[in-house]
Short mmCIF file of all heavy atoms in Angstrom, two decimals:
data_model
loop_
_atom_site.label_atom_id
_atom_site.label_comp_id
_atom_site.label_asym_id
_atom_site.label_seq_id
_atom_site.Cartn_x
_atom_site.Cartn_y
_atom_site.Cartn_z
N VAL A 5 2.10 -6.23 -5.55
CA VAL A 5 1.86 -4.89 -6.07
C VAL A 5 2.35 -3.85 -5.06
O VAL A 5 3.13 -2.96 -5.40
CB VAL A 5 0.37 -4.66 -6.38
CG1 VAL A 5 0.13 -3.23 -6.86
CG2 VAL A 5 -0.10 -5.67 -7.42
N ALA A 6 1.89 -3.97 -3.83
CA ALA A 6 2.27 -3.03 -2.79
C ALA A 6 1.95 -3.64 -1.44
O ALA A 6 1.05 -4.46 -1.31
CB ALA A 6 1.55 -1.69 -2.95
N SER A 7 2.67 -3.22 -0.43
CA SER A 7 2.42 -3.68 0.93
C SER A 7 2.69 -2.55 1.90
O SER A 7 3.46 -1.63 1.61
CB SER A 7 3.26 -4.91 1.28
OG SER A 7 4.64 -4.61 1.26
N ILE A 8 2.07 -2.66 3.07
CA ILE A 8 2.25 -1.64 4.09
C ILE A 8 2.23 -2.31 5.46
O ILE A 8 1.40 -3.15 5.75
CB ILE A 8 1.18 -0.54 3.97
CG1 ILE A 8 1.44 0.60 4.96
CG2 ILE A 8 -0.22 -1.11 4.14
CD1 ILE A 8 0.60 1.84 4.69
N GLY A 9 3.17 -1.92 6.29
CA GLY A 9 3.27 -2.45 7.64
C GLY A 9 3.98 -1.46 8.53
O GLY A 9 4.29 -0.33 8.13
N SER A 10 4.22 -1.90 9.75
CA SER A 10 4.86 -1.01 10.71
C SER A 10 6.27 -0.61 10.31
O SER A 10 6.76 0.44 10.73
CB SER A 10 4.88 -1.68 12.09
OG SER A 10 5.62 -2.88 12.07
N VAL A 11 6.91 -1.43 9.50
CA VAL A 11 8.28 -1.14 9.08
C VAL A 11 8.36 -0.30 7.82
O VAL A 11 9.44 0.12 7.43
CB VAL A 11 9.09 -2.44 8.88
CG1 VAL A 11 9.19 -3.20 10.19
CG2 VAL A 11 8.47 -3.30 7.79
N GLY A 12 7.23 -0.06 7.18
CA GLY A 12 7.26 0.78 6.00
C GLY A 12 6.35 0.32 4.88
O GLY A 12 5.53 -0.59 5.05
N THR A 13 6.52 0.95 3.75
CA THR A 13 5.71 0.69 2.57
C THR A 13 6.60 0.22 1.43
O THR A 13 7.72 0.72 1.25
CB THR A 13 4.95 1.96 2.15
OG1 THR A 13 4.15 2.43 3.23
CG2 THR A 13 4.06 1.70 0.94
N GLN A 14 6.10 -0.73 0.67
CA GLN A 14 6.84 -1.28 -0.46
C GLN A 14 5.96 -1.27 -1.69
O GLN A 14 4.79 -1.61 -1.62
CB GLN A 14 7.31 -2.70 -0.15
CG GLN A 14 8.13 -3.34 -1.25
CD GLN A 14 8.58 -4.75 -0.91
OE1 GLN A 14 8.10 -5.34 0.06
NE2 GLN A 14 9.49 -5.29 -1.69
N TYR A 15 6.55 -0.92 -2.83
CA TYR A 15 5.86 -0.92 -4.11
C TYR A 15 6.67 -1.69 -5.13
O TYR A 15 7.90 -1.61 -5.16
CB TYR A 15 5.65 0.50 -4.63
CG TYR A 15 4.70 1.35 -3.83
CD1 TYR A 15 5.17 2.22 -2.86
CD2 TYR A 15 3.34 1.30 -4.07
CE1 TYR A 15 4.30 3.00 -2.13
CE2 TYR A 15 2.46 2.08 -3.35
CZ TYR A 15 2.94 2.93 -2.38
OH TYR A 15 2.07 3.72 -1.66
N ALA A 16 5.96 -2.40 -5.99
CA ALA A 16 6.61 -2.97 -7.15
C ALA A 16 7.03 -1.86 -8.10
O ALA A 16 6.36 -0.82 -8.19
CB ALA A 16 5.67 -3.93 -7.86
N ASP A 17 8.12 -2.08 -8.80
CA ASP A 17 8.63 -1.05 -9.70
C ASP A 17 7.61 -0.66 -10.77
O ASP A 17 7.56 0.51 -11.18
CB ASP A 17 9.92 -1.53 -10.37
CG ASP A 17 11.10 -1.56 -9.43
OD1 ASP A 17 11.04 -0.91 -8.36
OD2 ASP A 17 12.10 -2.22 -9.77
N PHE A 18 6.81 -1.61 -11.19
CA PHE A 18 5.90 -1.33 -12.30
C PHE A 18 4.69 -0.49 -11.90
O PHE A 18 3.93 -0.07 -12.77
CB PHE A 18 5.45 -2.64 -12.97
CG PHE A 18 4.86 -3.66 -12.05
CD1 PHE A 18 3.54 -3.59 -11.65
CD2 PHE A 18 5.63 -4.72 -11.59
CE1 PHE A 18 3.00 -4.54 -10.80
CE2 PHE A 18 5.10 -5.68 -10.74
CZ PHE A 18 3.78 -5.59 -10.35
N VAL A 19 4.51 -0.23 -10.61
CA VAL A 19 3.39 0.61 -10.17
C VAL A 19 3.85 1.85 -9.42
O VAL A 19 3.02 2.75 -9.17
CB VAL A 19 2.39 -0.17 -9.30
CG1 VAL A 19 1.86 -1.38 -10.06
CG2 VAL A 19 3.01 -0.57 -7.97
N LYS A 20 5.10 1.92 -9.08
CA LYS A 20 5.59 3.04 -8.28
C LYS A 20 5.37 4.35 -9.03
O LYS A 20 5.70 4.48 -10.20
CB LYS A 20 7.06 2.86 -7.94
CG LYS A 20 7.56 3.81 -6.87
CD LYS A 20 8.94 3.42 -6.37
CE LYS A 20 9.37 4.29 -5.21
NZ LYS A 20 10.69 3.88 -4.67
N GLY A 21 4.81 5.32 -8.33
CA GLY A 21 4.48 6.60 -8.93
C GLY A 21 3.07 6.66 -9.46
O GLY A 21 2.59 7.77 -9.78
N ARG A 22 2.42 5.53 -9.58
CA ARG A 22 1.05 5.49 -10.08
C ARG A 22 0.06 5.01 -9.01
O ARG A 22 -1.07 5.48 -8.97
CB ARG A 22 0.94 4.57 -11.30
CG ARG A 22 1.79 5.01 -12.48
CD ARG A 22 1.47 4.17 -13.71
NE ARG A 22 1.82 2.76 -13.52
CZ ARG A 22 0.96 1.74 -13.67
NH1 ARG A 22 -0.30 1.99 -14.03
NH2 ARG A 22 1.36 0.50 -13.50
N PHE A 23 0.49 4.05 -8.19
CA PHE A 23 -0.38 3.47 -7.17
C PHE A 23 0.05 3.94 -5.79
O PHE A 23 1.24 4.18 -5.53
CB PHE A 23 -0.30 1.94 -7.19
CG PHE A 23 -0.86 1.28 -8.42
CD1 PHE A 23 -1.28 2.00 -9.52
CD2 PHE A 23 -0.97 -0.11 -8.46
CE1 PHE A 23 -1.78 1.38 -10.65
CE2 PHE A 23 -1.47 -0.74 -9.57
CZ PHE A 23 -1.88 -0.01 -10.68
N THR A 24 -0.91 4.03 -4.89
CA THR A 24 -0.65 4.39 -3.52
C THR A 24 -1.40 3.45 -2.59
O THR A 24 -2.61 3.28 -2.73
CB THR A 24 -1.06 5.84 -3.21
OG1 THR A 24 -0.38 6.74 -4.10
CG2 THR A 24 -0.71 6.20 -1.78
N ILE A 25 -0.68 2.85 -1.66
CA ILE A 25 -1.31 1.98 -0.68
C ILE A 25 -1.47 2.75 0.63
O ILE A 25 -0.61 3.55 1.01
CB ILE A 25 -0.49 0.69 -0.46
CG1 ILE A 25 -1.28 -0.32 0.38
CG2 ILE A 25 0.87 0.97 0.14
CD1 ILE A 25 -0.66 -1.71 0.41
N SER A 26 -2.58 2.53 1.30
CA SER A 26 -2.82 3.14 2.59
C SER A 26 -3.58 2.16 3.46
O SER A 26 -4.11 1.16 2.98
CB SER A 26 -3.59 4.46 2.45
OG SER A 26 -4.84 4.26 1.83
N ARG A 27 -3.62 2.46 4.75
CA ARG A 27 -4.20 1.52 5.69
C ARG A 27 -4.91 2.27 6.80
O ARG A 27 -4.38 3.23 7.35
CB ARG A 27 -3.11 0.63 6.26
CG ARG A 27 -3.56 -0.40 7.28
CD ARG A 27 -2.37 -1.20 7.77
NE ARG A 27 -2.72 -2.10 8.86
CZ ARG A 27 -1.87 -2.87 9.51
NH1 ARG A 27 -0.59 -2.86 9.16
NH2 ARG A 27 -2.28 -3.65 10.49
N ALA A 28 -6.11 1.81 7.11
CA ALA A 28 -6.83 2.26 8.30
C ALA A 28 -6.65 1.17 9.34
O ALA A 28 -7.42 0.21 9.41
CB ALA A 28 -8.29 2.50 7.99
N THR A 29 -5.61 1.32 10.14
CA THR A 29 -5.19 0.25 11.03
C THR A 29 -6.27 -0.17 12.01
O THR A 29 -6.48 -1.37 12.24
CB THR A 29 -3.93 0.68 11.80
OG1 THR A 29 -2.92 1.09 10.88
CG2 THR A 29 -3.41 -0.46 12.65
N ALA A 30 -6.96 0.79 12.59
CA ALA A 30 -7.98 0.49 13.59
C ALA A 30 -9.13 -0.31 13.01
O ALA A 30 -9.82 -1.03 13.75
CB ALA A 30 -8.49 1.77 14.23
N ARG A 31 -9.36 -0.19 11.73
CA ARG A 31 -10.46 -0.90 11.09
C ARG A 31 -9.98 -2.09 10.27
O ARG A 31 -10.77 -2.72 9.58
CB ARG A 31 -11.26 0.05 10.20
CG ARG A 31 -11.89 1.20 10.97
CD ARG A 31 -12.92 1.95 10.15
NE ARG A 31 -12.32 2.66 9.03
CZ ARG A 31 -12.54 2.36 7.76
NH1 ARG A 31 -13.36 1.37 7.45
NH2 ARG A 31 -11.97 3.08 6.80
N ASN A 32 -8.68 -2.40 10.34
CA ASN A 32 -8.09 -3.50 9.58
C ASN A 32 -8.50 -3.45 8.11
O ASN A 32 -8.94 -4.45 7.53
CB ASN A 32 -8.48 -4.85 10.20
CG ASN A 32 -7.79 -5.10 11.52
OD1 ASN A 32 -6.64 -4.69 11.72
ND2 ASN A 32 -8.46 -5.79 12.43
N THR A 33 -8.35 -2.29 7.56
CA THR A 33 -8.72 -2.06 6.17
C THR A 33 -7.52 -1.49 5.42
O THR A 33 -6.82 -0.62 5.93
CB THR A 33 -9.90 -1.09 6.07
OG1 THR A 33 -11.02 -1.62 6.79
CG2 THR A 33 -10.31 -0.88 4.62
N VAL A 34 -7.30 -1.99 4.22
CA VAL A 34 -6.22 -1.51 3.38
C VAL A 34 -6.79 -1.08 2.05
O VAL A 34 -7.75 -1.68 1.54
CB VAL A 34 -5.12 -2.59 3.21
CG1 VAL A 34 -5.65 -3.81 2.48
CG2 VAL A 34 -3.90 -2.01 2.51
N TYR A 35 -6.21 -0.03 1.48
CA TYR A 35 -6.68 0.54 0.23
C TYR A 35 -5.56 0.57 -0.79
O TYR A 35 -4.38 0.62 -0.45
CB TYR A 35 -7.19 1.97 0.44
CG TYR A 35 -8.22 2.11 1.53
CD1 TYR A 35 -7.84 2.41 2.84
CD2 TYR A 35 -9.57 1.94 1.26
CE1 TYR A 35 -8.79 2.54 3.84
CE2 TYR A 35 -10.52 2.06 2.26
CZ TYR A 35 -10.12 2.37 3.54
OH TYR A 35 -11.07 2.49 4.54
N LEU A 36 -5.94 0.56 -2.03
CA LEU A 36 -4.98 0.73 -3.12
C LEU A 36 -5.57 1.72 -4.11
O LEU A 36 -6.53 1.39 -4.82
CB LEU A 36 -4.66 -0.59 -3.81
CG LEU A 36 -3.57 -0.53 -4.87
CD1 LEU A 36 -2.21 -0.25 -4.23
CD2 LEU A 36 -3.52 -1.83 -5.67
#
């Protein structure tokens, strides 16, 4: 669906524009 890392963010075409991934790196938490 989506991924986030130091090199950037990636979204599947079917969710792009609708979903947003984010990350609280210090807490090892990812959100969608």
Side-chain angles (χ1 to χ4, degrees):
V5 177
S7 64
I8 185 168
S10 61
V11 298
T13 303
Q14 182 180 12
Y15 293 96
D17 288 342
F18 54 82
V19 302
K20 193 169 185 177
R22 299 188 296 124
F23 293 7
T24 303
I25 190 169
S26 60
R27 179 181 174 183
T29 305
R31 299 193 293 114
N32 289 326
T33 302
V34 64
Y35 307 93
L36 186 68

